[in-house]
Amino acid sequence: MNTPADSDLVVLGRISGVYGIKGWLKVWSFTDPLEGILDYPAWHLKTATGWEVREIDAGRRQGKGIVVHLPGCDDRDQAQQFLQAEIAVPRAALPELDDGEFYWNELEGLQVRARLADGTTVLLGRLDHMMETGANDVLVVRACDGSLDQRERLIPWIPDEVILAVDRARRELLVDWDPEF
């Protein structure tokens, strides 16, 4: 099986540890729900030697995380080779989203503009990444060329209240956020 280009892959998680003595692996899943990562029977794993396609033959929820087993990985020593490997699937394998829904990786890199009281906008920076906090997801916005200042900002993902618009074509996110925050 050919491995797609990096740009055609979407990272859904990471191998975070080994589990037990029979080659099982702990997975840090970025999907919601966590078990969603198990919906993909073949994963692209990015190891020290590059991407390799591996099937999973078993997986389940274990405590607050996920554990999986890969065929041929039958002891702890074999499992060690996959530590910290990124888990990705081809973009085409992802389900279609409803209007107003986005995959985080689609948003990363967008310019973030704040709408001011007079209706103008100011560039706060670029969306570097997002993080989950429990109450709501948070944008981590870092300064870029042309941004208002060099500050990093944490902006909550609250649609229609803080997040006003996402323009994929212009690669911009419009927020209602005080630039002084």
Side-chain angles (χ1 to χ4, degrees):
M1 175 186 261
N2 290 337
T3 301
D6 281 1
S7 62
D8 293 332
L9 294 174
V10 177
V11 175
L12 299 182
R14 176 176 49 80
I15 306 291
S16 60
V18 296
Y19 178 78
I21 60 171
K22 295 186 178 182
W24 284 71
L25 298 160
K26 293 180 187 178
V27 172
W28 182 260
S29 175
F30 304 154
T31 63
D32 183 19
L34 292 178
E35 297 89 350
I37 199 166
L38 299 174
D39 293 343
Y40 305 93
W43 290 350
H44 292 74
L45 298 179
K46 188 171 190 178
T47 64
T49 59
W51 291 104
E52 74 178 75
V53 179
R54 297 295 300 253
E55 291 185 12
I56 59 172
D57 61 2
R60 67 176 186 269
R61 182 88 186 227
Q62 181 66 37
K64 294 182 179 181
I66 303 289
V67 293
V68 299
H69 185 264
L70 306 176
C73 183
D74 296 319
D75 66 44
R76 195 171 180 84
D77 291 335
Q78 289 174 320
Q80 294 282 341
Q81 70 180 312
F82 298 107
L83 286 178
Q84 302 307 313
E86 289 184 329
I87 301 165
V89 298
R91 186 176 305 282
L94 297 174
E96 292 291 321
L97 296 175
D98 293 331
D99 286 341
E101 293 184 331
F102 306 93
Y103 288 112
W104 283 7
N105 71 313
E106 291 179 285
L107 301 175
E108 291 170 354
L110 295 184
Q111 287 188 344
V112 178
R113 295 191 159 279
R115 184 179 64 192
L116 303 176
D118 65 3
T120 62
T121 65
V122 61
L123 179 61
L124 298 178
R126 274 194 198 285
L127 177 55
D128 185 70
H129 64 280
M130 294 183 69
M131 58 185 180
E132 188 175 351
T133 63
N136 47 263
D137 298 331
V138 174
L139 312 170
V140 178
V141 179
R142 295 208 170 127
C144 66
D145 289 343
S147 62
L148 176 66
D149 52 35
Q150 296 301 305
R151 294 177 40 200
E152 177 179 273
R153 291 177 173 82
L154 302 177
I155 301 173
W157 178 271
I158 305 174
D160 302 323
E161 193 173 319
V162 175
I163 307 301
L164 302 177
V166 177
D167 188 334
R168 287 179 170 128
R170 294 183 63 190
R171 306 271 310 141
E172 286 185 353
L173 236 161
L174 182 62
V175 297
D176 183 7
W177 194 253
D178 185 343
E180 297 302 314
F181 278 11

